[in-house]
Amino acid sequence: PEVSSDPFNYLPDVSSGEIIYHSYYTLAYSEESEQASWVAYKITTDNFNSSIKRKDAFRVDPQVSTVSAELSDYRKSGYDRGHLAPAGSMKINAISMSESFFMSNMSPQLPGFNRGVWKKLEGEVRSITSNSDSVFVVTGPILDDPIEFIGKNKVAVPKAYFKTLVSYRNGIPSGIAFVLPHEKSSASVYSFSTSIDKVEEITGIDFYVNLQNQSDFESSD
């Protein structure tokens, strides 16, 4: 889609999983876990059009060949349908908002986590965007050793979540990552910050493979 006009192709290594390209975000779908193993998207100030209102159009993702999780999988489970690419960062136009509600972009999240520290982190990313030319995000669940499975499709409930960011300001990149245990927390989101390298170790995902010299900008542990 728009990758060629960006400073670099910001997608992770796409050699595993079914890669789904939507208009404003890309994901790798894990059939085994019935959710994305990662979701990648770009944010600029164009992502925050106040005239674009949230519409809860949760639905199956028609592009997932093995069929994505369904709304019924989450019903009465005690878990929220937690966005990976947040609706609040998809206020570009009606298409971006609508696509953010595909079930392939959802992960089962405890209400206290989804509406608390995870929401705070999403807000912090938007804050970083306001001081940057552009921010490239890859986010997702940590899928090994899940807490449990829900619904007829056996959607995995992750034990933790990650978010990695590369932000550009005046052409200079900087990077940071976060790993959040899947639990309610009142701690600062920056208490969960780490390096992109560390998240690669934990997840086995090779992030930002087309960006050279990652060590030049990454945060340290």
Side-chain angles (χ1 to χ4, degrees):
E2 300 179 356
V3 171
S4 61
S5 62
D6 294 333
F8 65 99
N9 180 337
Y10 60 95
L11 299 182
D13 179 5
V14 296
S15 61
S16 60
E18 182 178 11
I19 308 302
I20 307 293
Y21 297 93
H22 289 304
S23 302
Y24 296 95
Y25 68 91
T26 300
L27 64 92
Y29 198 77
S30 167
E31 174 61 20
E32 181 182 3
S33 302
E34 289 292 3
Q35 61 200 282
S37 55
W38 55 258
V39 177
Y41 54 99
K42 174 187 177 181
I43 309 181
T44 69
T45 53
D46 292 339
N47 289 58
F48 312 123
N49 183 342
S50 61
S51 69
I52 305 299
K53 304 303 181 185
R54 177 182 171 120
K55 295 182 178 178
D56 291 2
F58 294 101
R59 61 200 188 281
V60 167
D61 187 337
Q63 291 195 42
V64 177
S65 64
T66 53
V67 184
S68 68
E70 303 170 47
L71 275 75
S72 59
D73 291 318
Y74 287 72
R75 199 164 291 134
K76 296 182 179 179
S77 69
Y79 294 99
D80 285 354
R81 295 174 296 245
H83 279 72
L84 295 174
S89 298
M90 289 288 150
K91 293 183 175 182
I92 305 166
N93 54 40
I95 294 172
S96 58
M97 177 57 68
S98 176
E99 289 186 341
S100 76
F101 284 89
F102 283 133
M103 294 302 294
S104 56
N105 188 40
M106 302 299 143
S107 183
Q109 294 184 340
L110 291 164
F113 174 82
N114 178 42
R115 305 171 199 181
V117 67
W118 188 244
K119 184 178 181 179
K120 288 180 184 175
L121 179 55
E122 292 171 344
E124 188 58 31
V125 173
R126 289 193 279 276
S127 176
I128 291 170
T129 303
S130 68
N131 295 311
S132 307
D133 301 323
S134 54
V135 177
F136 301 87
V137 184
V138 183
T139 189
I142 294 174
L143 292 172
D144 61 310
D145 192 25
I147 296 169
E148 62 175 320
F149 296 87
I150 60 170
K152 70 175 184 180
N153 288 308
K154 296 187 170 17
V155 182
V157 178
K159 63 182 179 183
Y161 289 85
F162 69 86
K163 203 175 286 287
T164 70
L165 289 75
V166 172
S167 62
Y168 273 83
R169 189 172 185 181
N170 299 323
I172 300 170
S174 60
I176 191 171
F178 300 85
V179 174
L180 281 66
H182 187 189
E183 60 192 22
K184 186 176 181 179
S185 176
S186 59
S188 161
V189 295
Y190 283 98
S191 67
F192 302 105
S193 65
T194 186
S195 67
I196 295 172
D197 278 344
K198 187 66 177 177
V199 183
E200 289 183 331
E201 286 179 29
I202 294 169
T203 62
I205 298 169
D206 191 0
F207 296 101
Y208 308 108
V209 290
N210 295 294
L211 181 62
Q212 302 302 311
N213 303 318
Q214 289 187 35
S215 61
D216 291 345
F217 68 86
E218 283 194 350
S219 60
S220 58
D221 292 331

